[in-house]
Amino acid sequence: MNYRSLLHYLEKNGVEFKENYSTSELVTFRIGGDAKIVIFPKNRRQLIDILRILKNDKFVVIGNGSNCYFTDGFYDGAIIATSKLNSISRENNLVVAECGAPITKVSKFAFDEELCGLEFSYGIPGTVGGAVAMNASAFGSDISTVLKESLAYDICSDKLVVLSNAEHIFSVKSSVFRKSRLILILSKFELQKGSKSEIYDKMNDNISRRREAQPLNLPSAGSAFIKPEQGYASQMIDSLNLKGYTVGGAQVSTKHAGFIVNIGGATAADVNDLIEIVKRKVNEQYKINLEEEIIYIE
Ligand SMILES: Cc1cc2nc3c(=O)[nH]c(=O)nc-3n(C[C@H](O)[C@H](O)[C@H](O)COP(=O)(O)OP(=O)(O)OC[C@H]3O[C@@H](n4cnc5c(N)ncnc54)[C@H](O)[C@@H]3O)c2cc1C
């Protein structure tokens, strides 16, 4: 890693960073070992400068870490956390939000502006960057249905690019950001004028459904598996009586079989072992290869 240049830049520009930092502090799963450095750029200029410095080195950009977890060993790279790039504004029927803005705050902003369309995302614990990269979905909608365009930095060409909805190449729990060297800077969501009380009711209903169905009292990274075409992963796992199945501190949630939760002291290895066991058992019974939604970074 071009570590000296990086530190020089960070110190000179007053960028917040932490060395040898525990990744468990950065992810909702609360697991993982230390990382060489975590950097918190406070504006786009800094984000792009840091990406330029790191372009040939090992690094990852994260939002709220609610869909990923790191190795138990040392992550010998840089983690760029976008939490400080979090502005939200309005342009006519568009809501414009930077990559680090929590998607729930964007949804709440739309509500305040009497704009509907983002209610489904209320309660998803991620940022705009993570939600767009993962095409976050809930209650029959997903990000692709409301996204107009994004501004991204292309590490390969060293250029800012505007991506139309089609250029995001959205699919189930994926987008172009998962398979390229594009880093999302901001997105514009195209919403409709709505009734405040109807938007409120939908958001409220969504939060209640989340509280009822999801194990929100324990650390997790959300649904562990992508929904296969043939049905629901959680139903298949439940049918095999795997709720409560535990490896070390990692457990198939007793509340929602699609979630793997950290019941205390879980390691990334525990989670990975549990995932393999669940996948094997589902495959033996249903001849389906479950695919992980949660992202393991090593
Ligand atoms: C309790 C709980 C409930 C959840 N419910 C849902 C749900 O209903 N629906 C749903 O879809 N998900 C759900 N999730 C999963 C997760 O919250 C979403 O996928 C969320 O959108 C991830 O956002 P994040 O900022 O945390 O992403 P992270 O976990 O930080 O990152 C996820 C991926 O996005 C990439 N990424 C992040 N920012 C950028 C950027 N600026 N540019 C390029 N790539 C970037 C990362 O590199 C990584 O590959 C849930 C998770 C939890 C813990």
Side-chain angles (χ1 to χ4, degrees), residues 28 60-68 99 124-127 129-131 133-134 136-138 173 177-178 182-184 210 214 216 220-222 259 295:
T28 55
V60 63
V61 175
I62 64 163
N64 193 39
S66 66
N67 221 176
C68 62
C99 55
I124 296 178
T127 60
M134 301 301 297
S137 60
K173 302 293 173 189
F177 292 100
R178 301 288 315 282
L182 289 168
I183 302 299
L184 187 128
R210 278 181 186 282
Q214 298 183 349
L216 301 180
S220 79
F259 277 59
I295 301 164

PDB file of all heavy atoms in Angstrom, residues 28 60-68 99 124-127 129-131 133-134 136-138 173 177-178 182-184 210 214 216 220-222 259 295, ligand 1:
ATOM      1  N   THR A  28     -22.783  -3.927  11.474  1.00  0.00           N
ATOM      2  CA  THR A  28     -23.891  -4.183  12.400  1.00  0.00           C
ATOM      3  C   THR A  28     -23.828  -5.600  12.987  1.00  0.00           C
ATOM      4  O   THR A  28     -24.473  -5.873  14.000  1.00  0.00           O
ATOM      5  CB  THR A  28     -25.247  -3.978  11.692  1.00  0.00           C
ATOM      6  OG1 THR A  28     -25.278  -4.808  10.517  1.00  0.00           O
ATOM      7  CG2 THR A  28     -25.462  -2.527  11.295  1.00  0.00           C
ATOM      8  N   VAL A  60     -11.653  -1.044   0.500  1.00  0.00           N
ATOM      9  CA  VAL A  60     -13.084  -1.251   0.269  1.00  0.00           C
ATOM     10  C   VAL A  60     -13.813  -0.003   0.758  1.00  0.00           C
ATOM     11  O   VAL A  60     -13.379   0.642   1.721  1.00  0.00           O
ATOM     12  CB  VAL A  60     -13.586  -2.533   0.989  1.00  0.00           C
ATOM     13  CG1 VAL A  60     -13.436  -2.435   2.500  1.00  0.00           C
ATOM     14  CG2 VAL A  60     -15.037  -2.835   0.656  1.00  0.00           C
ATOM     15  N   VAL A  61     -14.893   0.334   0.066  1.00  0.00           N
ATOM     16  CA  VAL A  61     -15.740   1.454   0.500  1.00  0.00           C
ATOM     17  C   VAL A  61     -16.963   0.847   1.180  1.00  0.00           C
ATOM     18  O   VAL A  61     -17.613  -0.051   0.618  1.00  0.00           O
ATOM     19  CB  VAL A  61     -16.190   2.306  -0.708  1.00  0.00           C
ATOM     20  CG1 VAL A  61     -17.178   3.393  -0.273  1.00  0.00           C
ATOM     21  CG2 VAL A  61     -14.977   2.933  -1.397  1.00  0.00           C
ATOM     22  N   ILE A  62     -17.257   1.310   2.393  1.00  0.00           N
ATOM     23  CA  ILE A  62     -18.462   0.819   3.058  1.00  0.00           C
ATOM     24  C   ILE A  62     -19.357   1.989   3.480  1.00  0.00           C
ATOM     25  O   ILE A  62     -18.898   3.120   3.629  1.00  0.00           O
ATOM     26  CB  ILE A  62     -18.160  -0.076   4.292  1.00  0.00           C
ATOM     27  CG1 ILE A  62     -17.440   0.720   5.390  1.00  0.00           C
ATOM     28  CG2 ILE A  62     -17.380  -1.309   3.917  1.00  0.00           C
ATOM     29  CD1 ILE A  62     -17.494   0.038   6.758  1.00  0.00           C
ATOM     30  N   GLY A  63     -20.639   1.630   3.674  1.00  0.00           N
ATOM     31  CA  GLY A  63     -21.586   2.613   4.174  1.00  0.00           C
ATOM     32  C   GLY A  63     -21.767   2.377   5.661  1.00  0.00           C
ATOM     33  O   GLY A  63     -20.872   2.643   6.462  1.00  0.00           O
ATOM     34  N   ASN A  64     -22.910   1.773   6.016  1.00  0.00           N
ATOM     35  CA  ASN A  64     -23.151   1.495   7.439  1.00  0.00           C
ATOM     36  C   ASN A  64     -22.718   0.088   7.841  1.00  0.00           C
ATOM     37  O   ASN A  64     -22.964  -0.329   8.964  1.00  0.00           O
ATOM     38  CB  ASN A  64     -24.634   1.705   7.761  1.00  0.00           C
ATOM     39  CG  ASN A  64     -24.880   1.737   9.250  1.00  0.00           C
ATOM     40  OD1 ASN A  64     -24.075   2.297  10.000  1.00  0.00           O
ATOM     41  ND2 ASN A  64     -25.957   1.114   9.711  1.00  0.00           N
ATOM     42  N   GLY A  65     -22.131  -0.661   6.926  1.00  0.00           N
ATOM     43  CA  GLY A  65     -21.684  -2.017   7.263  1.00  0.00           C
ATOM     44  C   GLY A  65     -22.829  -2.914   7.713  1.00  0.00           C
ATOM     45  O   GLY A  65     -22.647  -3.797   8.552  1.00  0.00           O
ATOM     46  N   SER A  66     -24.008  -2.723   7.136  1.00  0.00           N
ATOM     47  CA  SER A  66     -25.158  -3.531   7.575  1.00  0.00           C
ATOM     48  C   SER A  66     -25.422  -4.704   6.649  1.00  0.00           C
ATOM     49  O   SER A  66     -26.429  -5.399   6.796  1.00  0.00           O
ATOM     50  CB  SER A  66     -26.420  -2.657   7.698  1.00  0.00           C
ATOM     51  OG  SER A  66     -26.825  -2.174   6.436  1.00  0.00           O
ATOM     52  N   ASN A  67     -24.520  -4.897   5.670  1.00  0.00           N
ATOM     53  CA  ASN A  67     -24.673  -6.063   4.798  1.00  0.00           C
ATOM     54  C   ASN A  67     -23.349  -6.785   4.605  1.00  0.00           C
ATOM     55  O   ASN A  67     -23.204  -7.599   3.706  1.00  0.00           O
ATOM     56  CB  ASN A  67     -25.223  -5.628   3.427  1.00  0.00           C
ATOM     57  CG  ASN A  67     -26.255  -6.565   2.867  1.00  0.00           C
ATOM     58  OD1 ASN A  67     -26.838  -6.319   1.831  1.00  0.00           O
ATOM     59  ND2 ASN A  67     -26.500  -7.672   3.549  1.00  0.00           N
ATOM     60  N   CYS A  68     -22.364  -6.455   5.469  1.00  0.00           N
ATOM     61  CA  CYS A  68     -21.052  -7.054   5.259  1.00  0.00           C
ATOM     62  C   CYS A  68     -20.364  -7.344   6.594  1.00  0.00           C
ATOM     63  O   CYS A  68     -20.802  -6.860   7.643  1.00  0.00           O
ATOM     64  CB  CYS A  68     -20.188  -6.129   4.402  1.00  0.00           C
ATOM     65  SG  CYS A  68     -19.844  -4.532   5.129  1.00  0.00           S
ATOM     66  N   CYS A  99     -23.803   9.489  -0.838  1.00  0.00           N
ATOM     67  CA  CYS A  99     -23.658   8.047  -0.603  1.00  0.00           C
ATOM     68  C   CYS A  99     -23.750   7.639   0.863  1.00  0.00           C
ATOM     69  O   CYS A  99     -24.240   6.556   1.179  1.00  0.00           O
ATOM     70  CB  CYS A  99     -22.353   7.537  -1.196  1.00  0.00           C
ATOM     71  SG  CYS A  99     -20.893   8.414  -0.603  1.00  0.00           S
ATOM     72  N   ILE A 124     -34.595   0.225   6.690  1.00  0.00           N
ATOM     73  CA  ILE A 124     -33.403  -0.513   6.224  1.00  0.00           C
ATOM     74  C   ILE A 124     -32.182   0.215   6.806  1.00  0.00           C
ATOM     75  O   ILE A 124     -32.018   1.415   6.602  1.00  0.00           O
ATOM     76  CB  ILE A 124     -33.336  -0.565   4.675  1.00  0.00           C
ATOM     77  CG1 ILE A 124     -34.518  -1.361   4.115  1.00  0.00           C
ATOM     78  CG2 ILE A 124     -32.007  -1.173   4.213  1.00  0.00           C
ATOM     79  CD1 ILE A 124     -34.583  -1.444   2.594  1.00  0.00           C
ATOM     80  N   PRO A 125     -31.325  -0.499   7.534  1.00  0.00           N
ATOM     81  CA  PRO A 125     -30.270   0.201   8.289  1.00  0.00           C
ATOM     82  C   PRO A 125     -29.017   0.554   7.481  1.00  0.00           C
ATOM     83  O   PRO A 125     -27.925   0.592   8.040  1.00  0.00           O
ATOM     84  CB  PRO A 125     -29.946  -0.786   9.418  1.00  0.00           C
ATOM     85  CG  PRO A 125     -30.238  -2.114   8.830  1.00  0.00           C
ATOM     86  CD  PRO A 125     -31.364  -1.935   7.857  1.00  0.00           C
ATOM     87  N   GLY A 126     -29.171   0.787   6.170  1.00  0.00           N
ATOM     88  CA  GLY A 126     -27.995   1.075   5.350  1.00  0.00           C
ATOM     89  C   GLY A 126     -27.950   2.509   4.864  1.00  0.00           C
ATOM     90  O   GLY A 126     -28.838   3.313   5.153  1.00  0.00           O
ATOM     91  N   THR A 127     -26.906   2.805   4.099  1.00  0.00           N
ATOM     92  CA  THR A 127     -26.745   4.128   3.490  1.00  0.00           C
ATOM     93  C   THR A 127     -27.220   4.079   2.036  1.00  0.00           C
ATOM     94  O   THR A 127     -27.471   2.996   1.480  1.00  0.00           O
ATOM     95  CB  THR A 127     -25.264   4.523   3.483  1.00  0.00           C
ATOM     96  OG1 THR A 127     -24.561   3.527   2.712  1.00  0.00           O
ATOM     97  CG2 THR A 127     -24.679   4.586   4.891  1.00  0.00           C
ATOM     98  N   GLY A 129     -25.338   4.590  -0.556  1.00  0.00           N
ATOM     99  CA  GLY A 129     -24.337   3.828  -1.321  1.00  0.00           C
ATOM    100  C   GLY A 129     -24.583   2.335  -1.231  1.00  0.00           C
ATOM    101  O   GLY A 129     -24.588   1.623  -2.244  1.00  0.00           O
ATOM    102  N   GLY A 130     -24.813   1.858  -0.002  1.00  0.00           N
ATOM    103  CA  GLY A 130     -25.057   0.422   0.185  1.00  0.00           C
ATOM    104  C   GLY A 130     -26.390   0.003  -0.419  1.00  0.00           C
ATOM    105  O   GLY A 130     -26.497  -1.063  -1.034  1.00  0.00           O
ATOM    106  N   ALA A 131     -27.401   0.856  -0.267  1.00  0.00           N
ATOM    107  CA  ALA A 131     -28.732   0.499  -0.771  1.00  0.00           C
ATOM    108  C   ALA A 131     -28.747   0.436  -2.294  1.00  0.00           C
ATOM    109  O   ALA A 131     -29.373  -0.452  -2.887  1.00  0.00           O
ATOM    110  CB  ALA A 131     -29.769   1.507  -0.265  1.00  0.00           C
ATOM    111  N   ALA A 133     -25.970   0.017  -4.256  1.00  0.00           N
ATOM    112  CA  ALA A 133     -25.077  -1.080  -4.660  1.00  0.00           C
ATOM    113  C   ALA A 133     -25.792  -2.429  -4.544  1.00  0.00           C
ATOM    114  O   ALA A 133     -25.650  -3.302  -5.403  1.00  0.00           O
ATOM    115  CB  ALA A 133     -23.812  -1.075  -3.803  1.00  0.00           C
ATOM    116  N   MET A 134     -26.590  -2.580  -3.473  1.00  0.00           N
ATOM    117  CA  MET A 134     -27.255  -3.872  -3.204  1.00  0.00           C
ATOM    118  C   MET A 134     -28.657  -3.936  -3.796  1.00  0.00           C
ATOM    119  O   MET A 134     -29.366  -4.918  -3.616  1.00  0.00           O
ATOM    120  CB  MET A 134     -27.383  -4.097  -1.694  1.00  0.00           C
ATOM    121  CG  MET A 134     -26.100  -4.110  -0.901  1.00  0.00           C
ATOM    122  SD  MET A 134     -24.948  -5.377  -1.442  1.00  0.00           S
ATOM    123  CE  MET A 134     -25.868  -6.869  -1.099  1.00  0.00           C
ATOM    124  N   ALA A 136     -31.300  -2.513  -2.629  1.00  0.00           N
ATOM    125  CA  ALA A 136     -32.052  -2.891  -1.423  1.00  0.00           C
ATOM    126  C   ALA A 136     -33.543  -2.976  -1.725  1.00  0.00           C
ATOM    127  O   ALA A 136     -34.086  -2.180  -2.499  1.00  0.00           O
ATOM    128  CB  ALA A 136     -31.793  -1.859  -0.321  1.00  0.00           C
ATOM    129  N   SER A 137     -34.193  -3.931  -1.095  1.00  0.00           N
ATOM    130  CA  SER A 137     -35.603  -4.184  -1.398  1.00  0.00           C
ATOM    131  C   SER A 137     -36.371  -4.500  -0.125  1.00  0.00           C
ATOM    132  O   SER A 137     -35.794  -4.971   0.864  1.00  0.00           O
ATOM    133  CB  SER A 137     -35.712  -5.372  -2.362  1.00  0.00           C
ATOM    134  OG  SER A 137     -35.149  -6.516  -1.764  1.00  0.00           O
ATOM    135  N   ALA A 138     -37.654  -4.206  -0.169  1.00  0.00           N
ATOM    136  CA  ALA A 138     -38.526  -4.574   0.952  1.00  0.00           C
ATOM    137  C   ALA A 138     -39.973  -4.390   0.514  1.00  0.00           C
ATOM    138  O   ALA A 138     -40.271  -3.484  -0.286  1.00  0.00           O
ATOM    139  CB  ALA A 138     -38.242  -3.699   2.173  1.00  0.00           C
ATOM    140  N   LYS A 173     -30.523  -7.924  -5.452  1.00  0.00           N
ATOM    141  CA  LYS A 173     -29.432  -7.649  -4.517  1.00  0.00           C
ATOM    142  C   LYS A 173     -28.099  -7.367  -5.208  1.00  0.00           C
ATOM    143  O   LYS A 173     -27.020  -7.747  -4.721  1.00  0.00           O
ATOM    144  CB  LYS A 173     -29.242  -8.824  -3.533  1.00  0.00           C
ATOM    145  CG  LYS A 173     -30.467  -9.147  -2.732  1.00  0.00           C
ATOM    146  CD  LYS A 173     -30.829  -8.047  -1.779  1.00  0.00           C
ATOM    147  CE  LYS A 173     -32.159  -8.325  -1.095  1.00  0.00           C
ATOM    148  NZ  LYS A 173     -32.641  -7.212  -0.323  1.00  0.00           N
ATOM    149  N   PHE A 177     -22.344  -1.559  -9.246  1.00  0.00           N
ATOM    150  CA  PHE A 177     -21.346  -1.211  -8.216  1.00  0.00           C
ATOM    151  C   PHE A 177     -20.709  -2.447  -7.577  1.00  0.00           C
ATOM    152  O   PHE A 177     -19.644  -2.349  -6.981  1.00  0.00           O
ATOM    153  CB  PHE A 177     -21.980  -0.313  -7.141  1.00  0.00           C
ATOM    154  CG  PHE A 177     -22.328   1.041  -7.683  1.00  0.00           C
ATOM    155  CD1 PHE A 177     -23.628   1.345  -8.046  1.00  0.00           C
ATOM    156  CD2 PHE A 177     -21.342   1.993  -7.878  1.00  0.00           C
ATOM    157  CE1 PHE A 177     -23.940   2.586  -8.586  1.00  0.00           C
ATOM    158  CE2 PHE A 177     -21.641   3.232  -8.412  1.00  0.00           C
ATOM    159  CZ  PHE A 177     -22.947   3.532  -8.766  1.00  0.00           C
ATOM    160  N   ARG A 178     -21.377  -3.589  -7.706  1.00  0.00           N
ATOM    161  CA  ARG A 178     -20.825  -4.820  -7.132  1.00  0.00           C
ATOM    162  C   ARG A 178     -19.780  -5.441  -8.054  1.00  0.00           C
ATOM    163  O   ARG A 178     -19.033  -6.313  -7.641  1.00  0.00           O
ATOM    164  CB  ARG A 178     -21.937  -5.857  -6.867  1.00  0.00           C
ATOM    165  CG  ARG A 178     -23.033  -5.417  -5.928  1.00  0.00           C
ATOM    166  CD  ARG A 178     -22.580  -5.341  -4.475  1.00  0.00           C
ATOM    167  NE  ARG A 178     -21.799  -6.477  -4.014  1.00  0.00           N
ATOM    168  CZ  ARG A 178     -22.302  -7.663  -3.665  1.00  0.00           C
ATOM    169  NH1 ARG A 178     -23.590  -7.868  -3.698  1.00  0.00           N
ATOM    170  NH2 ARG A 178     -21.503  -8.632  -3.252  1.00  0.00           N
ATOM    171  N   LEU A 182     -16.527   1.307  -9.949  1.00  0.00           N
ATOM    172  CA  LEU A 182     -17.277   2.549  -9.787  1.00  0.00           C
ATOM    173  C   LEU A 182     -17.597   2.739  -8.313  1.00  0.00           C
ATOM    174  O   LEU A 182     -17.980   1.789  -7.633  1.00  0.00           O
ATOM    175  CB  LEU A 182     -18.607   2.468 -10.547  1.00  0.00           C
ATOM    176  CG  LEU A 182     -18.531   2.513 -12.068  1.00  0.00           C
ATOM    177  CD1 LEU A 182     -19.875   2.125 -12.665  1.00  0.00           C
ATOM    178  CD2 LEU A 182     -18.118   3.905 -12.535  1.00  0.00           C
ATOM    179  N   ILE A 183     -17.433   3.963  -7.836  1.00  0.00           N
ATOM    180  CA  ILE A 183     -17.809   4.282  -6.456  1.00  0.00           C
ATOM    181  C   ILE A 183     -18.921   5.318  -6.505  1.00  0.00           C
ATOM    182  O   ILE A 183     -18.787   6.360  -7.166  1.00  0.00           O
ATOM    183  CB  ILE A 183     -16.590   4.833  -5.667  1.00  0.00           C
ATOM    184  CG1 ILE A 183     -15.440   3.813  -5.663  1.00  0.00           C
ATOM    185  CG2 ILE A 183     -16.997   5.222  -4.246  1.00  0.00           C
ATOM    186  CD1 ILE A 183     -15.739   2.468  -5.024  1.00  0.00           C
ATOM    187  N   LEU A 184     -20.000   5.018  -5.834  1.00  0.00           N
ATOM    188  CA  LEU A 184     -21.147   5.916  -5.858  1.00  0.00           C
ATOM    189  C   LEU A 184     -20.901   7.159  -5.001  1.00  0.00           C
ATOM    190  O   LEU A 184     -20.455   7.039  -3.859  1.00  0.00           O
ATOM    191  CB  LEU A 184     -22.389   5.178  -5.351  1.00  0.00           C
ATOM    192  CG  LEU A 184     -23.673   5.974  -5.502  1.00  0.00           C
ATOM    193  CD1 LEU A 184     -24.716   5.152  -6.215  1.00  0.00           C
ATOM    194  CD2 LEU A 184     -24.197   6.455  -4.186  1.00  0.00           C
ATOM    195  N   ARG A 210     -41.365  -4.977  10.318  1.00  0.00           N
ATOM    196  CA  ARG A 210     -39.958  -5.312  10.582  1.00  0.00           C
ATOM    197  C   ARG A 210     -39.782  -5.796  12.021  1.00  0.00           C
ATOM    198  O   ARG A 210     -39.120  -6.795  12.277  1.00  0.00           O
ATOM    199  CB  ARG A 210     -39.074  -4.065  10.422  1.00  0.00           C
ATOM    200  CG  ARG A 210     -38.715  -3.770   9.055  1.00  0.00           C
ATOM    201  CD  ARG A 210     -37.838  -2.553   8.916  1.00  0.00           C
ATOM    202  NE  ARG A 210     -37.719  -2.352   7.491  1.00  0.00           N
ATOM    203  CZ  ARG A 210     -36.919  -3.062   6.705  1.00  0.00           C
ATOM    204  NH1 ARG A 210     -36.102  -3.934   7.217  1.00  0.00           N
ATOM    205  NH2 ARG A 210     -36.921  -2.879   5.414  1.00  0.00           N
ATOM    206  N   GLN A 214     -38.375  -9.450  12.248  1.00  0.00           N
ATOM    207  CA  GLN A 214     -36.911  -9.520  12.248  1.00  0.00           C
ATOM    208  C   GLN A 214     -36.328  -9.525  13.664  1.00  0.00           C
ATOM    209  O   GLN A 214     -36.877  -8.886  14.563  1.00  0.00           O
ATOM    210  CB  GLN A 214     -36.338  -8.322  11.469  1.00  0.00           C
ATOM    211  CG  GLN A 214     -36.749  -8.305  10.008  1.00  0.00           C
ATOM    212  CD  GLN A 214     -36.103  -7.153   9.227  1.00  0.00           C
ATOM    213  OE1 GLN A 214     -35.513  -6.244   9.809  1.00  0.00           O
ATOM    214  NE2 GLN A 214     -36.225  -7.211   7.918  1.00  0.00           N
ATOM    215  N   LEU A 216     -34.425  -7.877  15.654  1.00  0.00           N
ATOM    216  CA  LEU A 216     -33.724  -6.586  15.745  1.00  0.00           C
ATOM    217  C   LEU A 216     -32.984  -6.404  17.068  1.00  0.00           C
ATOM    218  O   LEU A 216     -32.231  -5.451  17.226  1.00  0.00           O
ATOM    219  CB  LEU A 216     -34.717  -5.436  15.520  1.00  0.00           C
ATOM    220  CG  LEU A 216     -35.453  -5.471  14.172  1.00  0.00           C
ATOM    221  CD1 LEU A 216     -36.421  -4.292  14.049  1.00  0.00           C
ATOM    222  CD2 LEU A 216     -34.475  -5.467  13.005  1.00  0.00           C
ATOM    223  N   SER A 220     -26.806  -8.479  13.466  1.00  0.00           N
ATOM    224  CA  SER A 220     -26.853  -9.316  12.254  1.00  0.00           C
ATOM    225  C   SER A 220     -26.460  -8.446  11.069  1.00  0.00           C
ATOM    226  O   SER A 220     -26.163  -7.259  11.234  1.00  0.00           O
ATOM    227  CB  SER A 220     -28.263  -9.863  12.037  1.00  0.00           C
ATOM    228  OG  SER A 220     -29.102  -8.864  11.456  1.00  0.00           O
ATOM    229  N   ALA A 221     -26.496  -9.045   9.889  1.00  0.00           N
ATOM    230  CA  ALA A 221     -26.264  -8.258   8.670  1.00  0.00           C
ATOM    231  C   ALA A 221     -27.488  -8.393   7.761  1.00  0.00           C
ATOM    232  O   ALA A 221     -27.379  -8.316   6.542  1.00  0.00           O
ATOM    233  CB  ALA A 221     -24.994  -8.713   7.974  1.00  0.00           C
ATOM    234  N   GLY A 222     -28.639  -8.625   8.377  1.00  0.00           N
ATOM    235  CA  GLY A 222     -29.873  -8.772   7.598  1.00  0.00           C
ATOM    236  C   GLY A 222     -30.026 -10.192   7.086  1.00  0.00           C
ATOM    237  O   GLY A 222     -29.412 -11.129   7.619  1.00  0.00           O
ATOM    238  N   PHE A 259     -32.234 -15.015   8.820  1.00  0.00           N
ATOM    239  CA  PHE A 259     -31.199 -14.199   9.457  1.00  0.00           C
ATOM    240  C   PHE A 259     -30.214 -15.087  10.209  1.00  0.00           C
ATOM    241  O   PHE A 259     -30.614 -16.042  10.877  1.00  0.00           O
ATOM    242  CB  PHE A 259     -31.809 -13.250  10.502  1.00  0.00           C
ATOM    243  CG  PHE A 259     -32.365 -11.963   9.937  1.00  0.00           C
ATOM    244  CD1 PHE A 259     -33.368 -11.969   8.976  1.00  0.00           C
ATOM    245  CD2 PHE A 259     -31.905 -10.740  10.395  1.00  0.00           C
ATOM    246  CE1 PHE A 259     -33.902 -10.780   8.480  1.00  0.00           C
ATOM    247  CE2 PHE A 259     -32.424  -9.549   9.906  1.00  0.00           C
ATOM    248  CZ  PHE A 259     -33.425  -9.564   8.943  1.00  0.00           C
ATOM    249  N   ILE A 295     -22.024 -10.028   2.701  1.00  0.00           N
ATOM    250  CA  ILE A 295     -20.747  -9.977   1.983  1.00  0.00           C
ATOM    251  C   ILE A 295     -19.589 -10.167   2.968  1.00  0.00           C
ATOM    252  O   ILE A 295     -19.460  -9.412   3.935  1.00  0.00           O
ATOM    253  CB  ILE A 295     -20.606  -8.614   1.274  1.00  0.00           C
ATOM    254  CG1 ILE A 295     -21.768  -8.407   0.296  1.00  0.00           C
ATOM    255  CG2 ILE A 295     -19.267  -8.494   0.564  1.00  0.00           C
ATOM    256  CD1 ILE A 295     -21.931  -6.959  -0.159  1.00  0.00           C
TER     257      ILE A 295
HETATM  258  C1  LIG B   1     -31.642  -5.669  10.773  1.00  0.00           C
HETATM  259  C2  LIG B   1     -31.381  -5.561   9.289  1.00  0.00           C
HETATM  260  C3  LIG B   1     -32.442  -5.472   8.415  1.00  0.00           C
HETATM  261  C4  LIG B   1     -32.225  -5.368   7.040  1.00  0.00           C
HETATM  262  N1  LIG B   1     -33.297  -5.275   6.203  1.00  0.00           N
HETATM  263  C5  LIG B   1     -33.080  -5.185   4.873  1.00  0.00           C
HETATM  264  C6  LIG B   1     -34.176  -5.084   3.960  1.00  0.00           C
HETATM  265  O1  LIG B   1     -35.349  -5.041   4.346  1.00  0.00           O
HETATM  266  N2  LIG B   1     -33.904  -5.029   2.649  1.00  0.00           N
HETATM  267  C7  LIG B   1     -32.626  -5.034   2.166  1.00  0.00           C
HETATM  268  O2  LIG B   1     -32.423  -4.970   0.947  1.00  0.00           O
HETATM  269  N3  LIG B   1     -31.571  -5.132   3.001  1.00  0.00           N
HETATM  270  C8  LIG B   1     -31.768  -5.192   4.325  1.00  0.00           C
HETATM  271  N4  LIG B   1     -30.688  -5.278   5.167  1.00  0.00           N
HETATM  272  C9  LIG B   1     -29.320  -5.322   4.610  1.00  0.00           C
HETATM  273  C10 LIG B   1     -28.658  -3.923   4.460  1.00  0.00           C
HETATM  274  O3  LIG B   1     -29.147  -3.032   5.452  1.00  0.00           O
HETATM  275  C11 LIG B   1     -28.887  -3.318   3.084  1.00  0.00           C
HETATM  276  O4  LIG B   1     -28.348  -4.111   2.047  1.00  0.00           O
HETATM  277  C12 LIG B   1     -28.264  -1.919   2.981  1.00  0.00           C
HETATM  278  O5  LIG B   1     -28.686  -1.318   1.809  1.00  0.00           O
HETATM  279  C13 LIG B   1     -26.737  -1.959   3.011  1.00  0.00           C
HETATM  280  O6  LIG B   1     -26.269  -0.622   3.165  1.00  0.00           O
HETATM  281  P1  LIG B   1     -24.900  -0.316   3.928  1.00  0.00           P
HETATM  282  O7  LIG B   1     -24.636   1.129   3.790  1.00  0.00           O
HETATM  283  O8  LIG B   1     -24.929  -0.849   5.296  1.00  0.00           O
HETATM  284  O9  LIG B   1     -23.912  -1.153   3.013  1.00  0.00           O
HETATM  285  P2  LIG B   1     -22.543  -1.864   3.442  1.00  0.00           P
HETATM  286  O10 LIG B   1     -22.853  -3.109   4.203  1.00  0.00           O
HETATM  287  O11 LIG B   1     -21.640  -0.879   4.085  1.00  0.00           O
HETATM  288  O12 LIG B   1     -21.985  -2.249   2.001  1.00  0.00           O
HETATM  289  C14 LIG B   1     -22.690  -3.161   1.191  1.00  0.00           C
HETATM  290  C15 LIG B   1     -22.050  -3.188  -0.199  1.00  0.00           C
HETATM  291  O13 LIG B   1     -22.218  -1.917  -0.815  1.00  0.00           O
HETATM  292  C16 LIG B   1     -20.942  -1.405  -1.230  1.00  0.00           C
HETATM  293  N5  LIG B   1     -20.972   0.053  -1.088  1.00  0.00           N
HETATM  294  C17 LIG B   1     -21.304   0.781   0.002  1.00  0.00           C
HETATM  295  N6  LIG B   1     -21.193   2.093  -0.268  1.00  0.00           N
HETATM  296  C18 LIG B   1     -20.759   2.204  -1.552  1.00  0.00           C
HETATM  297  C19 LIG B   1     -20.444   3.295  -2.409  1.00  0.00           C
HETATM  298  N7  LIG B   1     -20.533   4.570  -2.008  1.00  0.00           N
HETATM  299  N8  LIG B   1     -20.045   3.027  -3.688  1.00  0.00           N
HETATM  300  C20 LIG B   1     -19.949   1.753  -4.110  1.00  0.00           C
HETATM  301  N9  LIG B   1     -20.231   0.667  -3.344  1.00  0.00           N
HETATM  302  C21 LIG B   1     -20.632   0.896  -2.081  1.00  0.00           C
HETATM  303  C22 LIG B   1     -19.941  -2.056  -0.284  1.00  0.00           C
HETATM  304  O14 LIG B   1     -18.643  -2.059  -0.841  1.00  0.00           O
HETATM  305  C23 LIG B   1     -20.538  -3.453  -0.161  1.00  0.00           C
HETATM  306  O15 LIG B   1     -20.202  -4.237  -1.283  1.00  0.00           O
HETATM  307  C24 LIG B   1     -30.890  -5.372   6.549  1.00  0.00           C
HETATM  308  C25 LIG B   1     -29.821  -5.444   7.439  1.00  0.00           C
HETATM  309  C26 LIG B   1     -30.063  -5.535   8.802  1.00  0.00           C
HETATM  310  C27 LIG B   1     -28.884  -5.596   9.745  1.00  0.00           C
END
